[in-house]
Amino acid sequence: MYELSAKPIVLKLGGSVITRKERPLTPNLGAIRRLASEISSAEAAPLVVVHGGGSFGHPLAKRYAIKEGYKGKGSQAFGFAETHQAMVTLNKLVVDALIHKNAPAVAVSPSSCIVTKSGRIHTMLEEPLKKLLQTGFVPVLYGDAVLDSDLGFTILSGDQLTAYLAMSLNAERIVVGIDVDGLYTADPKTDSSARLISHVTLKELKNMQQQIEEAKVTDVTGGMLGKIEELIPPIEKGIAALIVNAAKPKNVYKALKGERVFGTLISKF
Amino acid sequence: MYELSAKPIVLKLGGSVITRKERPLTPNLGAIRRLASEISSAEAAPLVVVHGGGSFGHPLAKRYAIKEGYKGKGSQAFGFAETHQAMVTLNKLVVDALIHKNAPAVAVSPSSCIVTKSGRIHTMLEEPLKKLLQTGFVPVLYGDAVLDSDLGFTILSGDQLTAYLAMSLNAERIVVGIDVDGLYTADPKTDSSARLISHVTLKELKNMQQQIEEAKVTDVTGGMLGKIEELIPPIEKGIAALIVNAAKPKNVYKALKGERVFGTLISKF
């Protein structure tokens, strides 16, 4: 029923790239406009964009403990309303920028079409999203405050949503644009010998995880292993994930174009 | 599964009340804030709000002929993206105002959870909406540019959505806030003897419609009969609709409170 001309790319834009992390409810408009221009000029189709919350989502979600579920207090319900509305606000800036750069972007509100169960996506009406892709639109989703059948409500992370969509849409690949270059052999902030890992297989990645767990040390790779946990199921299905630094110009453009780019490719083999 | 404490009220706010009709993409912020205050202080629960597009929706939808469906042209697809985004913008103003007045309002995006078939609602994921109501939130929906399984895309009017929700949620009643007082015996703009009809039954309404059709004259009631066409199915199911002038202060408040108000009540008997 929903035949796509090609397998879609799912692009995740980290909240720390498109917002000013240190200032609540402050967008990084320069980064949003530059990324909108890169996405539009790359003309990758079909394409789904998912963005994180950064300083729009995290402070509010944390203050009201939205992720932990509804405890029956009015103030917390109000926090849910505010958190969702903050994400709508950030999403509007991203979609406005894409439309301004001539990309036919359409906002898709996760909390309107997804219900989670104990924090994991349980029900999603995928028909609107699939029809948007089929018609040539660029759907733009985001990490959101969503209803949950066990918890009342919770937070659906952009990472979980990215992985879910990659699998349900049988994506060609995932591009993850964050504010670091990718996976390092050591923490580049403290170790000058740290080198970027340009390619890692799932088996190598799991070995790295195990070493870290056994040694009970902090994640020496720059905190990246925890962040990519959600990507493992799609990678196991053969959908490779490319991590690039979206805070640096041209990386997202090159990644969408399939050009060589500085970053870390994680693939099954 | 979704037990509500009481039957919900579905409140429709006409686009001509919350926008400046004559100026494209111009909200009537004074009216939006006043109505947000009236809705919040009425404390009607459960409550669903649906608003129209006014000068945000109609000019764009008309320019790109969105209602007629997708004809395969890129410019028209772009128009769909712009129309939806304009409605997101208007909806954000309404929801922001409600939250500001301490109503736990949550935006629900119709195009994210509804697919129409030849212009009529065919598929809707109602679970998020019902869970929002159950938790005490005020979901706020709107007339929207939506995907359509036959037409590619189309316009879903706020009126159709209002009637659909009233039926699927088994609403207690519908309140329609527009920019006229209700149904008149003649056109109040041209006939000084025109009197407001405070109550009309469905049978009387249908007789009025028939007379107008047979006489092949324009709708003497002030153009209201066409506008309430969508309300007939819920009224037939016993869900009364009260039309009030939302451009005048306190009418929406009184209607939500169940107080006597100047307007037209349409009921089955």
Side-chain angles (χ1 to χ4, degrees):
Chain A
M1 187 174 178
Y2 295 110
E3 282 296 320
L4 292 176
S5 54
K7 288 182 173 185
I9 298 174
V10 180
L11 169 64
K12 164 84 200 296
L13 294 176
S16 53
V17 177
I18 59 171
T19 70
R20 305 224 177 258
K21 232 193 291 193
E22 67 288 354
R23 289 189 214 163
L25 301 170
T26 309
N28 184 336
L29 288 176
I32 290 172
R33 287 178 193 138
R34 176 181 55 76
L35 287 164
S37 178
E38 291 187 29
I39 291 165
S40 183
S41 59
E43 292 184 327
L47 174 69
V48 180
V49 178
V50 178
H51 64 78
S55 71
F56 279 76
H58 294 277
L60 281 166
K62 197 179 167 189
R63 189 197 306 164
Y64 295 106
I66 305 300
K67 197 177 168 65
E68 286 69 40
Y70 184 44
K71 312 290 182 198
K73 283 192 181 171
S75 65
Q76 203 201 10
F78 215 81
F80 176 93
E82 283 194 280
T83 305
H84 173 60
Q85 195 63 359
M87 287 309 303
V88 168
T89 305
L90 178 59
N91 179 253
K92 182 173 145 46
L93 295 173
V94 174
V95 174
D96 281 345
L98 282 164
I99 290 178
H100 188 72
K101 299 290 183 187
N102 290 313
V106 176
V108 175
S109 178
S111 56
S112 298
C113 57
I114 293 172
V115 176
T116 56
K117 187 173 165 64
S118 295
R120 308 302 300 177
I121 295 174
H122 184 254
T123 307
M124 173 170 186
L125 183 71
E126 297 181 12
E127 206 178 336
L129 180 69
K130 287 178 176 171
K131 275 202 77 73
L132 284 171
L133 285 172
Q134 192 187 28
T135 317
F137 291 108
V138 179
V140 184
L141 299 93
Y142 45 96
D144 198 3
V146 299
L147 284 310
D148 186 287
S149 57
D150 288 336
L151 302 170
F153 51 61
T154 191
I155 294 294
L156 168 63
S157 74
D159 290 327
Q160 185 190 153
L161 183 54
T162 298
Y164 178 92
L165 293 177
M167 288 188 286
S168 75
L169 298 170
N170 190 24
E172 181 196 76
R173 57 203 169 95
I174 299 168
V175 174
V176 181
I178 51 177
D179 63 346
V180 295
D181 294 329
L183 267 172
Y184 277 86
T185 53
D187 189 342
K189 283 169 193 158
T190 55
D191 188 340
S192 65
S193 74
R195 291 284 170 272
L196 187 82
I197 303 167
S198 63
H199 178 230
V200 64
T201 66
L202 207 53
K203 200 176 169 187
E204 290 166 339
L205 191 75
K206 286 182 174 174
N207 283 340
M208 288 167 76
Q209 280 181 310
Q210 205 176 350
Q211 280 171 24
I212 288 166
E213 271 166 35
E214 282 170 4
K216 287 189 178 160
V217 293
T218 52
D219 182 349
V220 293
T221 58
M224 278 301 302
L225 286 184
K227 288 182 193 170
I228 58 181
E229 190 75 38
E230 291 281 4
L231 297 174
I232 291 173
I235 296 168
E236 268 174 350
K237 288 200 168 219
I239 304 165
L242 174 62
I243 301 169
V244 296
N245 192 332
K248 294 180 181 171
K250 281 285 176 190
N251 282 338
V252 165
Y253 173 84
K254 285 179 191 167
L256 292 177
K257 277 290 202 189
E259 295 177 6
R260 178 154 290 284
V261 57
F262 193 69
T264 300
L265 180 72
I266 313 172
S267 59
K268 189 170 183 183
F269 301 111
Chain B
M1 186 173 179
Y2 295 108
E3 282 297 320
L4 292 176
S5 54
K7 287 183 174 186
I9 298 174
V10 180
L11 168 66
K12 165 81 199 297
L13 295 176
S16 53
V17 177
I18 58 171
T19 70
R20 304 223 177 258
K21 232 193 290 194
E22 67 289 354
R23 289 189 214 161
L25 301 170
T26 309
N28 184 337
L29 287 176
I32 290 172
R33 286 179 193 136
R34 176 181 54 75
L35 288 165
S37 178
E38 291 186 30
I39 292 165
S40 183
S41 59
E43 291 183 329
L47 174 69
V48 180
V49 178
V50 178
H51 65 77
S55 72
F56 278 76
H58 294 277
L60 280 167
K62 196 178 168 190
R63 189 196 309 164
Y64 295 106
I66 305 301
K67 197 176 168 64
E68 285 70 41
Y70 184 44
K71 312 291 182 197
K73 280 190 183 173
S75 64
Q76 203 200 9
F78 215 81
F80 175 93
E82 284 193 279
T83 304
H84 172 59
Q85 195 64 357
M87 287 309 303
V88 168
T89 304
L90 178 59
N91 178 253
K92 182 175 146 43
L93 295 172
V94 174
V95 174
D96 281 345
L98 283 164
I99 290 178
H100 188 72
K101 299 290 182 187
N102 289 313
V106 176
V108 174
S109 179
S111 56
S112 297
C113 57
I114 293 172
V115 176
T116 56
K117 187 172 165 66
S118 295
R120 308 302 300 176
I121 295 174
H122 184 254
T123 308
M124 175 171 185
L125 183 72
E126 296 181 12
E127 205 179 337
L129 180 69
K130 288 177 175 172
K131 274 201 78 72
L132 284 171
L133 285 171
Q134 193 187 27
T135 317
F137 291 109
V138 179
V140 185
L141 299 92
Y142 45 95
D144 199 3
V146 299
L147 284 308
D148 186 287
S149 58
D150 288 335
L151 303 170
F153 51 61
T154 191
I155 294 294
L156 168 64
S157 74
D159 290 327
Q160 184 189 153
L161 184 55
T162 298
Y164 178 92
L165 293 177
M167 289 188 284
S168 74
L169 298 170
N170 191 23
E172 180 196 77
R173 55 203 169 96
I174 300 169
V175 175
V176 181
I178 51 177
D179 62 348
V180 294
D181 294 329
L183 267 173
Y184 275 86
T185 53
D187 188 342
K189 283 170 194 157
T190 55
D191 189 340
S192 64
S193 74
R195 291 285 169 271
L196 188 80
I197 303 166
S198 63
H199 178 229
V200 65
T201 65
L202 207 52
K203 200 176 169 186
E204 291 167 339
L205 190 74
K206 285 182 176 174
N207 284 341
M208 289 168 76
Q209 281 182 311
Q210 206 176 350
Q211 281 169 23
I212 288 166
E213 271 166 34
E214 282 170 5
K216 288 190 178 162
V217 294
T218 52
D219 182 348
V220 293
T221 58
M224 277 303 301
L225 286 185
K227 288 181 192 171
I228 58 179
E229 190 76 39
E230 291 282 3
L231 297 174
I232 291 173
I235 296 167
E236 268 174 351
K237 288 199 167 222
I239 304 165
L242 174 62
I243 301 170
V244 295
N245 192 333
K248 294 180 181 171
K250 282 286 176 189
N251 283 337
V252 165
Y253 172 85
K254 287 179 191 165
L256 292 177
K257 276 291 201 190
E259 295 176 7
R260 178 153 291 283
V261 57
F262 193 70
T264 301
L265 179 73
I266 312 171
S267 60
K268 189 169 181 183
F269 301 111

